[in-house]
Amino acid sequence: MPQRNSESRSTTETKVESDLAAEPTAEGREQSPGVAADLPMLSQRAATVYELLLSVPAHRGLTGKQIIEALRERDIYIEQSTLTTHILPQLKPYGLEGKRRVGYRIPQSRRPQRMN
């Protein structure tokens, strides 16, 4: 099997270099403000879902259906399978929890700290 050097890493393996990166990168991906540097970058849609989950209280959650409906209000159209297969797994390192009858949520302990 051929060996890969560090220069041939794909963009999905690239890590965020700044703690508070808020601008899109050259790959068109965006890092949410206040997120630790050791977390992987999020796709634009995953960042939108992350912001959506942060907008609800930490003790509440949103079901997949509620997330899709909220995205449609923002003119973002995705299928349930895309949400569960591609977007939600990207949010696991950010603390995403999924519970039956509660939905998906980011617990208070994993939310970015607000700077005053």
Side-chain angles (χ1 to χ4, degrees):
M1 184 168 161
Q3 292 183 345
R4 291 178 12 172
N5 63 25
S6 62
E7 295 175 359
S8 66
R9 286 202 277 170
S10 69
T11 56
T12 58
E13 295 174 23
T14 305
K15 302 287 183 186
V16 177
E17 295 180 10
S18 170
D19 282 348
L20 301 175
E23 297 185 22
T25 64
E27 293 87 18
R29 293 178 178 241
E30 186 174 298
Q31 179 68 34
S32 298
V35 176
D38 60 342
L39 294 174
M41 290 189 304
L42 296 174
S43 67
Q44 188 174 13
R45 288 184 179 169
T48 303
V49 172
Y50 182 68
E51 291 169 8
L52 178 65
L53 291 170
L54 291 177
S55 71
V56 298
H59 65 278
R60 297 207 51 223
L62 295 175
T63 64
K65 185 176 180 178
Q66 290 171 324
I67 292 171
I68 289 172
E69 288 174 4
L71 292 175
R72 285 189 177 148
E73 291 174 3
R74 298 178 183 193
D75 291 328
I76 300 171
Y77 299 93
I78 62 168
E79 296 290 329
Q80 177 76 32
S81 61
T82 302
L83 179 69
T84 57
T85 305
H86 299 288
I87 295 174
L88 295 177
Q90 289 183 46
L91 297 177
K92 290 283 187 183
Y94 290 78
L96 178 73
E97 292 180 351
K99 296 186 177 183
R100 289 182 187 225
R101 298 189 182 189
V102 175
Y104 299 101
R105 70 186 191 105
I106 307 291
Q108 188 65 42
S109 63
R110 296 296 304 267
R111 290 176 177 238
Q113 300 296 319
R114 292 186 180 199
M115 291 189 226
N116 293 336

